[in-house]
Each structure stands twice: as C-alpha cells, then as structure tokens.
Amino acid sequence: MATRAYELYGVPTPPNDSEQEYMTVQETAHVLNCSVSWLRRFLKAHRHLHGYSGRRIITNRADRAAIYEALRAGDPRQGRSMPKSRRRPTARSRAAVAA
C-alpha cells in the first residue's frame, strides 16, 4: 500500500497546461512519460537541468528538452547508446570436466 507522501510527491500528475513555462518534477515526469523517482535521480546527477522555487524543484522548457534528449539518447542509467551485452560463460575444457 502506498504511503501518503508517495501519493503526494511520487506519482506523476498531469499539468494544467502542457505548454507552460515551469513545471514541477511530478508534472515533468508525466509529460516525459517517466517515473518521478528516475527523474529525481537524473536531476540529482545533472544539477544544471533544473531550478528551485523555494524547496520545490522546477524545470523550464529548455530543461525539459535537454532531459528528453538524454532520455532518447540511450540507456539512461549508464548513458550508453545500447545496454551492455552479457558475456556468455566460457565453455569448460574437457580436461577440467574429467578431473
């Protein structure tokens, strides 16, 4: 069951106007179709892409465009264009199996 704080601050909410200049993190997450927790982690790592209104984090149009381009660029967790491929385990040699 979700806590009251999560329901207030952790759920993306639609903005009153999707073309408005400044949006909160919750409104930005709704517009960019991502989670609020991912967006907060992303903004923590990229401090130049947001501002503050009191204690509230806000983004403007240019910030949202930059966040969207970073989101489109690839795997947002590592900044790679493609997720890292997993290595196949090496086949055991017959000598190691026989021993």
Side-chain angles (χ1 to χ4, degrees):
M1 181 158 176
T3 63
R4 183 168 181 244
Y6 175 79
E7 296 204 7
L8 285 175
Y9 306 112
V11 177
T13 57
N16 294 331
D17 178 21
S18 62
E19 295 298 320
Q20 64 191 11
E21 179 67 24
Y22 295 101
M23 290 187 191
T24 63
V25 174
Q26 293 83 9
E27 293 169 340
T28 303
H30 184 273
V31 170
L32 296 177
N33 198 23
C34 64
S35 71
V36 174
S37 61
W38 178 85
L39 185 59
R40 285 185 187 277
R41 285 192 309 271
F42 182 82
L43 292 175
K44 186 176 183 180
H46 300 88
R47 296 207 181 260
H48 62 282
L49 292 179
H50 70 278
Y52 292 97
S53 174
R55 290 187 52 152
R56 179 175 283 184
I57 297 173
I58 57 171
T59 59
N60 61 21
R61 286 187 186 138
D63 296 341
R64 289 190 299 273
I67 295 167
Y68 179 72
E69 288 303 317
L71 190 62
R72 282 190 53 218
D75 187 0
R77 294 165 290 185
Q78 300 297 327
R80 294 188 292 259
S81 59
M82 293 290 289
K84 195 184 245 185
S85 61
R86 295 185 177 164
R87 289 182 160 182
R88 289 187 175 182
T90 58
R92 294 173 153 189
S93 66
R94 290 186 182 179
V97 173

